[in-house]
Amino acid sequence: MKKTNLGSVCRRHISTNANVATFFNRYLDKSDVFSWNSIIADLARSGDSVEALRAFSSMRKLSLKPNRSTFPCTVKSCSSLSDLISGKQTHQQALVFGYETDLFVSSALIDMYSKCGQLADARKLFDQIPQKNVVSWTSMIIGYVQNDLPHQAILLFKELLAGQAEELVFLDSVAMVSVLSACSRVSGKTLTQGLHGFVTKRGFDEDIGVANTLIDAYAKCGEVDFSRKIFNVMPQKDIISWNSMIAVYAQHGLSAQAMEIFRSLAWDREVDYNAVTLSAVLLACAHSGALQSGKCIHDQVLKMNLEDNVYVGTSMIDMYCKCGRLRMARNAFNRMKEKNVKSWSALIAGYGMHGRAREALQVFYEMVSAGVKPNYITFVSVLAACSHAGLLDEGWYWFKAMEPRFCIQPGVEHYACMVDLLGRAGFLAKAYYLLKEMKVKPDFVIWGSLLAACRMHKNVELGEISASHLFELDPTNCGYYVLLSNIYADAGRWEDVEKMRILMQNRGLSKPPGFSLLELKGRVHVFLVGDREHPQHEKIYAYLEELSIKLQIAGYVPNTTADLHDVEDEEKGLALRVHSEKLAVAFGVMNSVPGSTIQVIKNLRICRDCHTTIKLIAKIVNREIVVRDAKRFHHFKDGLCSCGDYW
């Protein structure tokens, strides 16, 4: 029987559901192992892993003896399906025919065991290879990275460096990408810089894959400027390069820089942006509260027919929630044909951060009814929603139901929500008891929640206990020192306030400046405490003076207890007038259309005086004013706030 050019025939005739037997009967010599190898390889490469395994099974039923070319693609198909049983059977076949120690077969088996989560078997096989090559080493390193064991991956690379010189000669960019991926998960600056030097010396720094991974590795250890330098010197950039840089800036809250990179990409005629790009840009808009920019990206999503993309859709939900537009977020959610657990969790979190816990719980009930299993993050969103609204009974119920009903063991984030919920409700002793009974060690988030509750309820003793733990766990965070100082100030213990000030000074700590953002006509305006840099600062202060008269008529009295310093109330009142959110609100009222909503983002928690003031301003100017602080959203309207003064 005349043999056929298999590659061209496969491309013309094999579909994802091809009947291999019919195909062979019509075109191929079934007695030829090379024909079988070709069909297995083509099916594996095209993603038809099930058909590839059926082809291998059909070949073995004909008692044909496989060769070294048969096994790599067969094993690859097992890997793609995470089919450990078939993988072990194929391994046994390779052993029977003497190919277990073949470098390509053994590397494929290492990859298969790694993807099936069997690291011990993968390492055992790796150690049995008498003469390893770069593929063997890379397969094992990638296996460790895929199973979230980056330290073992780096140790193995160090073992490679200490080994045979000839193995180092054949190091390639794939190996370096795998090592840098491990490095990015360790988040070590010194290690990243060392590997950067190594790849530069080896000439891999101009490889796009290596450079892209370096961008991520530097970003993971907080060195965003280094990531940008890598990006800037890349001789060529692909879409992954652009997406990585945009995502790095967005994830670090540097929204303006993320938008700058996106605009550069939009002007680049060689690379087209995609769904991943738009998801990253939407994250940047969410962080900065840039609603108009977010709407522009939404327009691009519609033009590219990406509204049904589950990742883009979820990013839009998150963006609209964080820009204070819950109705738009819900509309985006409703239009999604496919929703995953992240989509549901994003909407639950959105309702929660706006203080609409009942709606958040209703979405959660809908999610469970739809057959979508909630995950770890979902319950963080549910419990946070309960905490924001003070739903103590509901919070306790779902916290207790996590493990028995959904097989999710509560973690530090869930305990932090419960400590916050109990603490803010005034059950400080119960919150402290829950903290002490935790199966895992409390982190700074949990102790921070308890300290904040102590400030709210003026509990000095428990506040000091919380602060002592925080000073050990997170000694450079000056926020905890400020909170304890506030607790002392509320108690009139000014000597202790002074001690805290001296302690902060001795440790080189300073309170981060408060600032507020407001987007107007596509431009984001930034206001600092006592800001005199804004072009309209004179008009803003003059308008605040006008408002202060109306505020006094409305019954406003400055809440001077929020200030730390032991000075006269009149001086405190003057200082409170220049808080950044008040400046932003005044600017917004002055420069926006009457009746329109004003939205402000504050980097710190809004103080009680500003909260009271903005409630009254919203009533005086007949506007809705939305403030997103570090904890939640506040919707001010008609002299009231959506939080019900509970935050």
Side-chain angles (χ1 to χ4, degrees):
M1 184 177 188
K2 184 179 177 181
K3 293 182 182 178
T4 310
N5 184 328
L6 185 72
S8 60
V9 173
C10 286
R11 281 185 288 275
R12 289 199 306 270
H13 295 281
I14 298 183
S15 69
T16 54
N17 295 309
N19 186 300
V20 178
T22 302
F23 178 81
F24 261 44
N25 289 333
R26 187 174 299 175
Y27 296 105
L28 302 173
D29 180 1
K30 292 193 291 182
S31 64
D32 181 27
V33 70
F34 294 101
S35 296
W36 284 102
N37 288 348
S38 297
I39 188 68
I40 292 168
D42 230 64
L43 287 166
R45 292 191 193 102
S46 65
D48 285 338
S49 300
V50 173
E51 293 295 333
L53 292 180
R54 284 178 182 164
F56 177 73
S57 178
S58 298
M59 185 191 80
R60 291 297 300 124
K61 287 176 182 178
L62 294 173
S63 299
L64 287 177
K65 181 180 178 182
N67 58 27
R68 69 189 299 267
S69 299
T70 311
F71 289 104
C73 289
T74 305
V75 175
K76 178 186 175 184
S77 298
C78 299
S79 301
S80 298
L81 298 169
S82 296
D83 187 346
L84 182 60
I85 294 174
S86 296
K88 286 186 173 182
Q89 290 173 348
T90 309
H91 184 184
Q92 182 64 29
Q93 292 279 303
L95 185 64
V96 168
F97 289 103
Y99 294 114
E100 185 191 33
T101 57
D102 178 90
L103 285 172
F104 292 101
V105 175
S106 58
S107 297
L109 285 168
I110 290 168
D111 178 65
M112 182 275 295
Y113 280 119
S114 298
K115 285 180 177 173
C116 292
Q118 305 296 310
L119 262 295
D121 289 331
R123 184 58 194 253
K124 182 180 179 181
L125 192 59
F126 174 80
D127 290 336
Q128 289 173 350
I129 300 174
Q131 204 66 34
K132 303 175 182 69
N133 66 1
V134 67
V135 179
S136 313
W137 287 95
T138 304
S139 297
M140 195 64 242
I141 291 170
I142 291 174
Y144 280 129
V145 174
Q146 289 173 339
N147 286 272
D148 201 24
L149 295 168
H151 291 284
Q152 285 87 332
I154 292 166
L155 287 173
L156 188 61
F157 179 66
K158 289 180 178 179
E159 189 179 325
L160 169 61
L161 295 181
Q164 298 287 334
E166 60 188 57
E167 292 169 347
L168 297 178
V169 172
F170 296 105
L171 272 176
D172 58 12
S173 59
V174 177
M176 296 318 305
V177 166
S178 65
V179 177
L180 285 167
S181 296
C183 182
S184 69
R185 300 189 184 203
V186 172
S187 302
K189 179 182 176 181
T190 304
L191 180 61
T192 303
Q193 289 176 327
L195 282 171
H196 186 187
F198 182 85
V199 299
T200 302
K201 185 177 179 181
R202 288 275 173 165
F204 294 125
D205 55 320
E206 294 188 0
D207 180 271
I208 291 181
V210 170
N212 290 341
T213 316
L214 269 172
I215 289 171
D216 181 60
Y218 273 120
K220 290 289 174 55
C221 54
E223 298 295 333
V224 177
D225 290 340
F226 278 99
S227 295
R228 182 61 185 267
K229 287 176 183 177
I230 299 294
F231 178 81
N232 287 343
V233 300
M234 289 177 69
Q236 286 185 309
K237 300 179 181 73
D238 59 11
I239 188 58
I240 297 174
S241 317
W242 291 96
N243 289 348
S244 296
M245 200 64 241
I246 293 170
V248 163
Y249 278 134
Q251 289 162 3
H252 284 79
L254 301 170
S255 302
Q257 292 89 326
M259 295 302 295
E260 171 215 335
I261 296 291
F262 176 66
R263 283 190 287 269
S264 298
L265 171 59
W267 283 100
D268 191 300
R269 298 186 181 275
E270 296 182 4
V271 182
D272 294 325
Y273 51 83
N274 58 18
V276 177
T277 317
L278 297 182
S279 292
V281 179
L282 286 166
L283 176 62
C285 296
H287 277 311
S288 64
L291 179 62
Q292 295 307 315
S293 297
K295 286 181 175 179
C296 290
I297 300 302
H298 191 173
D299 289 340
Q300 290 298 313
V301 170
L302 294 174
K303 288 177 184 177
M304 295 172 66
N305 294 317
L306 290 172
E307 199 170 24
D308 288 337
N309 182 290
V310 68
Y311 300 104
V312 174
T314 301
S315 297
M316 285 201 300
I317 293 167
D318 180 63
M319 182 274 293
Y320 280 125
C321 285
K322 289 178 179 173
C323 288
R325 297 297 187 271
L326 271 178
R327 184 177 298 174
M328 291 181 176
R330 183 71 202 224
N331 290 340
F333 177 83
N334 290 341
R335 285 193 295 267
M336 291 175 66
K337 292 180 181 177
E338 179 190 348
K339 303 176 182 73
N340 63 12
V341 65
K342 292 182 180 180
S343 314
W344 289 94
S345 299
L347 189 60
I348 293 168
Y351 277 118
M353 70 177 71
H354 284 267
R356 294 167 64 172
R358 296 294 181 189
E359 287 101 322
L361 289 174
Q362 182 58 42
V363 173
F364 176 66
Y365 302 148
E366 292 172 15
M367 173 186 179
V368 175
S369 298
V372 180
K373 184 180 178 182
N375 64 10
Y376 189 96
I377 299 299
T378 309
F379 277 104
V380 173
S381 301
V382 168
L383 296 177
C386 293
S387 177
H388 286 313
L391 301 183
L392 192 59
D393 292 339
E394 290 85 346
W396 263 119
Y397 176 82
W398 288 113
F399 179 74
K400 295 293 186 182
M402 284 176 60
E403 196 162 5
R405 186 168 169 183
F406 298 99
C407 301
I408 299 173
Q409 186 173 354
V412 288
E413 293 88 352
H414 306 109
Y415 278 101
C417 290
M418 291 307 299
V419 168
D420 186 58
L421 174 58
L422 289 165
R424 292 204 291 145
F427 297 100
L428 293 176
K430 196 170 183 179
Y432 184 55
Y433 177 78
L434 178 66
L435 184 153
K436 298 296 287 183
E437 291 296 307
M438 283 177 59
K439 296 178 182 178
V440 293
K441 184 179 179 180
D443 66 356
F444 63 91
V445 177
I446 294 175
W447 284 111
S449 296
L450 186 60
L451 180 62
C454 291
R455 163 73 206 282
M456 180 183 295
H457 297 286
K458 301 178 174 57
N459 189 314
V460 177
E461 182 182 356
L462 200 50
E464 288 178 329
I465 293 172
S466 303
S468 66
H469 286 281
L470 288 164
F471 295 162
E472 292 180 7
L473 292 168
D474 194 10
T476 60
N477 189 328
C478 67
Y480 307 132
Y481 299 83
V482 173
L483 270 175
L484 185 57
S485 293
N486 275 305
I487 293 172
Y488 286 141
D490 286 339
R493 291 171 53 170
W494 300 108
E495 289 184 4
D496 289 318
V497 171
E498 181 63 16
K499 287 179 183 177
M500 293 304 301
R501 187 190 67 79
I502 294 171
L503 181 61
M504 289 176 65
Q505 187 176 25
N506 291 340
R507 296 185 178 182
L509 303 175
S510 59
K511 183 180 179 181
F515 66 84
S516 296
L517 308 176
L518 180 141
E519 185 191 33
L520 189 67
K521 298 176 182 177
R523 181 186 170 191
V524 177
H525 296 261
V526 182
F527 297 89
L528 300 174
V529 178
D531 202 333
R532 295 281 178 180
E533 299 296 320
H534 194 277
Q536 293 190 34
H537 72 269
E538 291 182 357
K539 292 181 179 179
I540 292 170
Y541 283 106
Y543 184 64
L544 280 174
E545 284 297 323
E546 292 178 25
L547 279 177
S548 67
I549 297 171
K550 296 178 180 178
L551 286 167
Q552 288 174 14
I553 294 172
Y556 166 71
V557 177
N559 185 348
T560 56
T561 59
D563 198 283
L564 280 178
H565 306 292
D566 188 13
V567 295
E568 295 300 320
D569 281 355
E570 184 178 352
E571 188 177 340
K572 292 179 184 178
L574 291 171
L576 291 169
R577 285 190 197 177
V578 295
H579 280 189
S580 63
E581 54 265 58
K582 291 177 182 173
L583 301 178
V585 166
F587 173 78
V589 173
M590 291 165 52
N591 291 277
S592 59
V593 178
S596 61
T597 300
I598 297 164
Q599 181 157 322
V600 174
I601 295 178
K602 175 73 185 284
N603 69 320
L604 304 175
R605 184 176 179 273
I606 188 171
C607 75
R608 293 194 175 277
D609 182 77
C610 287
H611 192 268
T612 301
T613 302
I614 296 173
K615 280 197 298 183
L616 292 172
I617 290 175
K619 185 175 183 179
I620 290 167
V621 301
N622 194 26
R623 298 279 199 99
E624 181 179 2
I625 301 171
V626 180
V627 177
R628 187 184 100 190
D629 69 7
K631 295 287 288 183
R632 59 169 296 154
F633 274 85
H634 301 264
H635 294 255
F636 299 96
K637 191 174 182 179
D638 298 328
L640 302 172
C641 179
S642 60
C643 73
D645 298 335
Y646 184 88
W647 86 100

